[in-house]
């Protein structure tokens, strides 16, 4: 999804990232937006990348229907079609321009930023056999739990809230 995809990103109010495999440090404002997106908060269009450009087509062609551009998830093809059929909360699929190396010619196909937009605290750690307190998120004050993901089926207990609202959400509160 993100191992040297041959794509560079442009954020609003910033220049294009360089066309190289080295991952550049994101500006503080962009990094904060990445964190918020990862936590499941819906972002405004201006808080997401403005566009991407394919500078290494060989690497880009190896990518599937989901990849990262500048720290944000981009979907296309059949995955975008499938996701469009579900309730994605306050976020959703946002059309995302992807250009060829000249930074002007559109790259063939449709691309979408996956803007989460739903947070559900559905894990019932007190009923999970192997849940343990991990840390407290300093910004939200929420307890983060560690759940052993290698356990067999049925060992993570969820509340009935998983059936309400959005079909895709952040698993906030669990590590």
């Amino acid at each position: 999804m993100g191992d040297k995809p041959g794509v560079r990103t442009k954020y609003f109010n910033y220049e294009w990232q360089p066309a190289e495999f080295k991952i550049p440090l994101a500006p503080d404002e962009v990094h904060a937006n990445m964190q918020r997106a990862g936590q499941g908060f819906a972002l405004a269009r201006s808080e997401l990348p403005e566009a991407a450009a394919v500078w290494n087509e060989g690497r880009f062609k190896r990518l599937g229907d989901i990849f990262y551009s500048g720290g944000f998830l981009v979907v296309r093809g059949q995955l975008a079609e499938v996701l469009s059929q579900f309730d994605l909360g306050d976020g959703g699929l946002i059309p995302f321009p992807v250009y060829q190396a000249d930074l002007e010619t559109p790259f063939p196909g449709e691309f979408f930023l996956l803007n989460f937009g739903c947070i559900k605290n559905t894990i019932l750690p007190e009923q999970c056999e192997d849940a343990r307190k991990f840390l407290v998120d300093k910004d939200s004050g929420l307890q983060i739990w560690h759940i052993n993901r290698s356990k067999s089926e049925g060992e993570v207990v969820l509340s009935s809230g998983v059936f309400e609202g959005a079909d895709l959400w952040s698993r906030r509160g669990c590590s």
Side-chain angles (χ1 to χ4, degrees), residues 148-156:
N148 187 344
R149 296 181 209 156
S150 64
K151 290 277 190 167
S152 63
E153 208 174 302
E155 298 199 18
V156 174

Side-chain angles (χ1 to χ4, degrees), residues 84-156:
S84 71
Q85 298 172 34
F86 291 92
D87 177 354
L88 301 178
D90 293 332
L93 299 177
I94 298 173
F96 184 57
V98 176
Y99 300 104
Q100 294 184 23
D102 66 7
L103 308 180
E104 294 177 9
T105 307
F107 198 88
E110 288 186 299
F111 300 86
F112 302 89
L113 289 161
L114 178 54
N115 189 10
F116 276 93
C118 185
I119 299 168
K120 291 185 185 183
N121 293 312
T122 57
I123 294 174
L124 299 174
E126 64 281 354
Q127 295 180 32
C128 296
E129 176 184 317
D130 202 23
R132 62 179 171 81
K133 291 181 178 182
F134 185 63
L135 60 90
V136 174
D137 182 284
K138 66 179 180 178
D139 295 326
S140 68
L142 286 175
Q143 175 67 56
I144 307 297
W145 295 84
H146 180 271
I147 305 292
N148 187 344
R149 296 181 209 156
S150 64
K151 290 277 190 167
S152 63
E153 208 174 302
E155 298 199 18
V156 174

